[in-house]
Amino acid sequence: MQRLTLTPGDNLILAPMLAELAKAYDTIEDPELIARAPVLARSLPAHLLEFLEEFRLGEPSALCMISGLDVDEIQLGPTPTHWRDSQYDSPAFPQEIFFLLCATRLGDVFGWATQQDGRIMHDVLPIRGHEHYEIGSNSLQHLSWHTEDAFHPCRGDYVSLMCLKNPDLVETMVCDAADLDWSTLDVEALFEPAFTQMPDNSHQPQNTGQSTGDPTVDRLRARSFALIQSWNDDPVKRPVLFGDSQSPYMALDPYHMKTEGWPERSLRAFRGLCDQIEAKMKDVGLRPGDCVFIDNFRAVHGRRSFRPRYDGTDRWLKRLNITRNIRGSRAWRRAADDRVIY
Ligand SMILES: NC(=[NH2+])NCCC[C@H](N)C(=O)O
Ligand SMILES: O=C(O)CCC(=O)C(=O)O
Ligand SMILES: [Fe+2]
């Protein structure tokens, strides 16, 4: 893992810059703020910009962590009970802006019409009733390791998490493709489009809000949910590996894969890969102020189980999806500068 710790000097420069921006906008979802972010990000400390650029282009690791951002847990107040409405009057707005600026150095942030009401910045927090459900807001059940949005051709190049609270130091788990011994795996079979991948539960209609108030958006969203439904009923077969056969990129979410009907060789290759991933999985305990950027092509990730508190002190992360090729999803978006995939 690549690591950078912000210095007290960095925080001295960042605090007024972030406070000023937080005063100028109401929410991190403001399209004007998000559009300005790549330009604003040029004012981040130079060593931070260099660090992110090295991670982006050189792929020295599938994971990089920026720690040391000031977070005042008292000022944060209670952890919300749901992601709904958390984007307004956010007590973490300055931190959200920092996270957004860093993210835009790696690519373009985007959202899904079918996930967390089409928001760009997500909340990851335990939700009552989800304790044993396979979704990021579960708790008593671990979150199975996965490629973020493995089922979708427009999945992000990076998924990133910013920690606001993690009182029990619940671990995010990550497996870096660099730690796998590809010479012992049937890479050729894993490059074949033979693997049934279904959408994960976070994109199911029952887990999003109701009407957006905009009939056009509602109609488009309904169409997206219908597509999700069709991929559920009639799952698409995709390759698990792609890119360079010597050092492959991965896309898999085994919890949402159906192995029925797979050729014997594909099944064996898949099981071999999953076994090795499990053996090489590492734990990363995020602390308040940590921003972690996970290369979604070069790592899979999940989260250990934990006991939720539901007393306002729960674990609370923010999440951003980042793509290096926003035009690759142009057919799925309403306009060139629209960041929501329908
Ligand atoms: N194996 C899985 N659970 N995959 C889906 C991961 C969770 C999903 N990204 C969410 O926001 O809830
Ligand atoms: O909670 C975590 O540490 C990871 C969450 C995650 O992977 C997800 O929500 O998709
Ligand atoms: Fe995830």
Side-chain angles (χ1 to χ4, degrees):
M1 172 166 69
Q2 306 299 108
R3 267 199 105 116
L4 180 142
T5 306
L6 297 174
T7 64
D10 290 332
N11 271 304
L12 270 174
I13 294 168
L14 288 169
M17 170 182 163
L18 301 175
E20 195 185 313
L21 287 167
K23 243 195 282 162
Y25 295 92
D26 289 337
T27 163
I28 198 71
E29 300 298 318
D30 186 328
E32 199 186 297
L33 171 59
I34 298 179
R36 267 186 82 200
V39 176
L40 296 169
R42 293 163 65 180
S43 305
L44 290 172
H47 72 117
L48 173 56
L49 297 178
E50 276 157 20
F51 173 80
L52 286 165
E53 181 55 16
E54 161 64 9
F55 173 68
R56 186 187 75 85
L57 198 63
E59 300 181 17
S61 166
L63 193 67
C64 85
M65 164 108 84
I66 297 163
S67 32
L69 180 70
D70 283 341
V71 174
D72 180 349
E73 289 197 47
I74 306 291
Q75 206 179 314
L76 282 184
T79 303
T81 54
H82 198 281
W83 49 258
R84 212 180 290 124
D85 299 331
S86 75
Q87 68 270 44
Y88 306 109
D89 301 317
S90 172
F93 197 19
Q95 288 82 5
E96 291 172 17
I97 295 170
F98 174 76
F99 184 36
L100 172 70
L101 298 191
C102 291
T104 62
R105 297 303 298 192
L106 297 178
D108 288 301
V109 295
F110 71 97
W112 303 97
T114 49
Q115 201 183 44
Q116 296 205 9
D117 274 350
R119 278 167 47 192
I120 305 295
M121 193 171 288
H122 298 157
D123 286 285
V124 178
L125 38 77
I127 295 178
R128 212 183 270 279
H130 287 186
E131 293 85 357
H132 293 283
Y133 185 48
E134 185 62 27
I135 196 162
S137 44
N138 71 5
S139 48
L140 295 173
Q141 173 178 308
H142 71 262
L143 180 64
S144 310
W145 57 262
H146 55 277
T147 298
E148 199 72 3
D149 308 302
F151 71 98
H152 205 292
C154 304
R155 80 186 78 89
D157 290 74
Y158 306 96
V159 57
S160 51
L161 302 166
M162 174 175 67
C163 179
L164 295 174
K165 294 186 199 177
N166 192 6
D168 301 312
L169 218 64
V170 175
E171 285 128 335
T172 302
M173 31 193 195
V174 181
C175 175
D176 187 329
D179 294 337
L180 303 178
D181 182 0
W182 296 105
S183 72
T184 62
L185 294 168
D186 188 351
V187 169
E188 192 182 64
L190 295 165
F191 266 74
E192 291 297 319
F195 305 90
T196 0
Q197 180 68 67
M198 292 180 310
D200 70 76
N201 292 332
S202 69
H203 291 268
Q204 298 298 336
Q206 65 269 25
N207 294 317
T208 207
Q210 303 301 310
S211 170
T212 61
D214 179 337
T216 314
V217 172
D218 279 356
R219 205 168 340 104
L220 281 166
R221 189 174 289 189
R223 205 185 63 183
S224 297
F225 281 125
L227 185 61
I228 295 282
Q229 185 64 45
S230 78
W231 283 345
N232 242 318
D233 299 343
D234 190 11
V236 183
K237 284 190 162 67
R238 300 191 185 281
V240 153
L241 301 183
F242 60 104
D244 175 14
S245 61
Q246 301 297 306
S247 189
Y249 293 138
M250 310 185 281
L252 70 164
D253 183 349
Y255 186 94
H256 297 93
M257 293 170 92
K258 261 199 195 126
T259 57
E260 281 142 50
W262 291 4
E264 185 52 38
R265 181 176 167 190
S266 308
L267 194 58
R268 223 176 319 114
F270 179 71
R271 294 221 167 107
L273 174 63
C274 292
D275 288 349
Q276 237 194 79
I277 287 176
E278 250 140 63
K280 296 290 165 67
M281 197 65 74
K282 286 187 180 140
D283 286 329
V284 183
L286 299 178
R287 294 169 198 276
D290 286 349
C291 294
V292 66
F293 295 86
I294 302 172
D295 186 331
N296 199 37
F297 288 12
R298 289 290 286 165
V300 291
H301 66 281
R303 194 215 65 240
R304 302 283 171 197
S305 61
F306 65 102
R307 185 159 296 280
R309 301 169 170 221
Y310 301 137
D311 64 354
T313 66
D314 265 314
R315 185 175 189 265
W316 184 15
L317 316 181
K318 293 281 175 180
R319 180 175 69 197
L320 285 169
N321 283 117
I322 307 164
T323 178
R324 285 170 61 161
N325 178 22
I326 191 78
R327 296 211 284 192
S329 62
R330 183 62 186 86
W332 307 75
R333 293 177 296 108
R334 294 202 294 166
D337 61 352
D338 192 322
R339 294 170 186 273
V340 181
I341 295 177
Y342 284 96

